[in-house]
Amino acid sequence: ANVLQLARMTRNDLPVDTRPLAVAGLIDGIRSSVSSQAERAGFELNVDCANEAGQVVILADPDGFARIFINLVDNAIKFSAAAQQKRIDIGCQLLRDGSVEFGVRDYGPGVPGDQMKKIFRLFYRSENELTRETLGTGIGLALVRQLAQSMGGRVDVRNADPGAEFRLWLPLAQGAE
């Protein structure tokens, strides 16, 4: 599914349907799919969206938003499978500038500093080809970045202690807060 979606996006053949949507509704929409995804992998999933952030209206494509979170949770599961704490936190908070920051955090080893920007490149794999322990194609994070940008947003990653946190910002709907 990721390969097909990315191919359509790179050909500008996948229209992104951004529209004003309440953050709380978007979070509710992804909760069941990522909950079952985490549960099947033996992870605890915590979803915490601050009430004031949940009331904010942003511009987003609901399918693209869901695909971003499915990919980020899948990534967290893959790279923290050997972590002592099998837990993934999804959150959102209202920032001082009125925008909303979403986060997906795992409790694995984190991302090496020299790879923080590279991991969003198409087909980039952080591990050595011969010693690679995780499966994947290197498409998921490239698709996350492409979807975020197509909705007028951005994504980045930072290390937490322990683990990594991927952060997503999407624009507010004009006149809605």
Side-chain angles (χ1 to χ4, degrees):
N2 279 348
V3 174
L4 292 174
Q5 191 164 20
L6 189 64
R8 286 187 208 119
M9 288 186 80
T10 56
R11 289 192 325 257
N12 292 322
D13 196 22
L14 181 66
V16 178
D17 183 20
T18 56
R19 55 186 183 258
L21 297 165
V23 168
L26 286 165
I27 293 294
D28 285 345
I30 64 161
R31 189 183 307 262
S32 64
S33 61
V34 295
S35 291
S36 59
Q37 183 182 9
E39 190 177 293
R40 280 191 308 271
F43 279 74
E44 172 190 347
L45 179 71
N46 297 306
V47 179
D48 181 25
C49 188
N51 190 40
E52 63 274 4
Q55 303 309 310
V56 173
V57 176
I58 62 171
L59 285 176
D61 171 32
D63 294 334
F65 186 85
R67 175 61 55 196
I68 286 171
F69 279 86
I70 289 166
N71 277 298
L72 291 178
V73 168
D74 183 58
N75 203 58
I77 290 168
K78 279 193 285 195
F79 288 96
S80 61
Q84 200 168 27
Q85 190 174 16
K86 291 190 180 301
R87 175 177 151 189
I88 299 169
D89 297 333
I90 294 177
C92 63
Q93 62 180 338
L94 186 61
L95 301 179
R96 286 190 187 133
D97 66 2
S99 65
V100 178
E101 176 186 279
F102 299 91
V104 175
R105 179 184 176 190
D106 65 54
Y107 291 80
V111 179
D114 65 334
Q115 297 184 22
M116 291 252 179
K117 299 290 184 211
K118 296 176 186 175
I119 61 174
F120 292 101
R121 292 183 193 157
L122 185 58
F123 303 122
Y124 182 78
R125 297 291 312 273
S126 62
E127 299 164 310
N128 179 302
E129 196 173 312
L130 298 175
T131 61
R132 185 172 295 148
E133 294 179 16
T134 55
L135 299 173
T137 58
I139 292 176
L141 291 178
L143 180 61
V144 164
R145 184 184 66 188
Q146 186 74 28
L147 284 167
Q149 290 174 344
S150 70
M151 289 187 274
R154 64 187 175 91
V155 64
D156 78 2
V157 62
R158 69 178 176 189
N159 280 321
D161 187 21
E165 180 181 24
F166 286 82
R167 299 175 299 174
L168 167 70
W169 297 269
L170 291 173
L172 296 175
Q174 291 297 332
E177 280 190 36

